[in-house]
Amino acid sequence: MGKLRQTALILGEGATEFFYFKSLCDVFKRLTIKPDYPKHTSIKELELKIEDGIAMGYSHIFCIIDMDTKDIEPERTQYQKLKAKYAKPINKPKKGIYCEVEFFETHRCTELFFLYYFRYTSRPYETQEPLLKDLNQCVEYKKTIDFFIKSKGLHGYFERNGGSLEKAVANAARSIKEMQKGDRDYTYSELGRLIRKLEEL
């Protein structure tokens, strides 16, 4: 039987999101943030993780989505279906379950939000490599578990090296505004909105 807790389960698609949100636990002390990620990054695996989280009684499940893998079929259709399935909160009072599932997208990938700690960009990235190159001009960064562990918390690492979460949130908001104005459908991040959500919880 699930117990209602003001807890957020954050589901990323891989180790990057797991280590980043783990590093934010110091920032959001009152909140139980449990980052997790599927062992295989398929939509089906993600759905299983969401179902687990609902059964465990989490009040919020936030899914971090890299859009670079959702540009192509069948992923695109599967992802749209998954979003539609959880468009309304899961409410099962008899089981003591109430859960809001939300999706937060970044195009191409989470590293764009890391770059936003340092500076704004709206340039299109065809692949991850040029994005990682731009990030490395601001701060040394490697997409490896070794590096994530050595950095002793990605968030703190970025801030120690001149980045700022506030700046990242502002830059992310700007990217969404520009996208919604119809300027583009690439190079944007909704992670700023997620950070604001965590602050409200």
Side-chain angles (χ1 to χ4, degrees):
M1 166 102 159
K3 282 191 295 295
L4 264 186
R5 305 171 286 173
Q6 266 302 75
T7 50
L9 173 64
I10 297 188
L11 291 176
E13 293 184 271
T16 307
E17 294 78 17
F18 173 81
F19 280 100
Y20 175 65
F21 282 97
K22 212 172 154 57
S23 77
L24 283 178
C25 289
D26 300 348
V27 182
F28 301 106
K29 285 193 171 67
R30 288 173 303 113
L31 199 61
T32 308
I33 301 180
K34 184 184 184 297
D36 200 353
Y37 63 99
K39 293 296 167 256
H40 307 286
T41 57
S42 71
I43 297 288
K44 205 144 213 57
E45 285 269 331
L46 185 62
E47 191 171 351
L48 290 173
K49 284 278 185 195
I50 293 171
E51 291 299 329
D52 285 351
I54 293 168
M56 286 194 282
Y58 282 97
S59 55
H60 298 272
I61 297 177
F62 300 130
C63 304
I64 316 301
I65 304 294
D66 285 349
M67 293 306 284
D68 59 357
T69 54
K70 309 295 173 289
D71 282 349
I72 38 178
E73 297 298 354
E75 275 77 10
R76 181 185 298 166
T77 305
Q78 291 170 349
Y79 174 55
Q80 294 305 337
K81 269 195 191 135
L82 186 68
K83 272 175 86 171
K85 180 177 177 180
Y86 297 108
K88 288 194 179 77
I90 308 297
N91 193 3
K92 299 177 180 170
K94 284 202 173 102
K95 290 186 176 170
I97 286 174
Y98 181 85
C99 180
E100 290 176 28
V101 181
E102 281 189 78
F103 297 85
F104 297 86
E105 302 169 357
T106 299
H107 191 285
R108 296 197 68 81
C109 54
T110 301
E111 276 78 10
L112 178 68
F113 188 68
F114 300 166
L115 180 58
Y116 282 167
Y117 264 75
F118 301 92
R119 65 178 179 83
Y120 183 72
T121 185
S122 61
R123 75 173 267 210
Y125 293 102
E126 292 301 317
T127 61
Q128 276 189 26
E129 279 63 46
L131 171 55
L132 295 177
K133 209 167 147 186
D134 280 358
L135 178 56
N136 269 285
Q137 285 173 354
C138 303
V139 67
E140 191 197 345
Y141 176 84
K142 292 188 185 75
K143 200 169 180 148
T144 65
I145 291 185
D146 272 0
F147 175 79
F148 296 153
I149 292 166
K150 246 189 7 223
S151 72
K152 295 187 171 39
L154 284 171
H155 162 69
Y157 171 73
F158 295 144
E159 295 221 317
R160 287 194 302 277
N161 284 282
S164 140
L165 181 59
E166 271 312 304
K167 190 190 250 181
V169 170
N171 283 333
R174 179 179 161 189
S175 76
I176 296 297
K177 249 200 203 99
E178 286 179 9
M179 185 188 70
Q180 286 166 344
K181 277 204 327 235
D183 295 347
R184 62 174 191 270
D185 61 355
Y186 54 83
T187 315
Y188 63 86
S189 178
E190 294 183 320
L191 291 184
R193 192 164 64 80
L194 171 54
I195 300 295
R196 290 281 177 256
K197 260 223 119 106
L198 293 173
E199 287 169 351
E200 285 161 20
L201 285 187

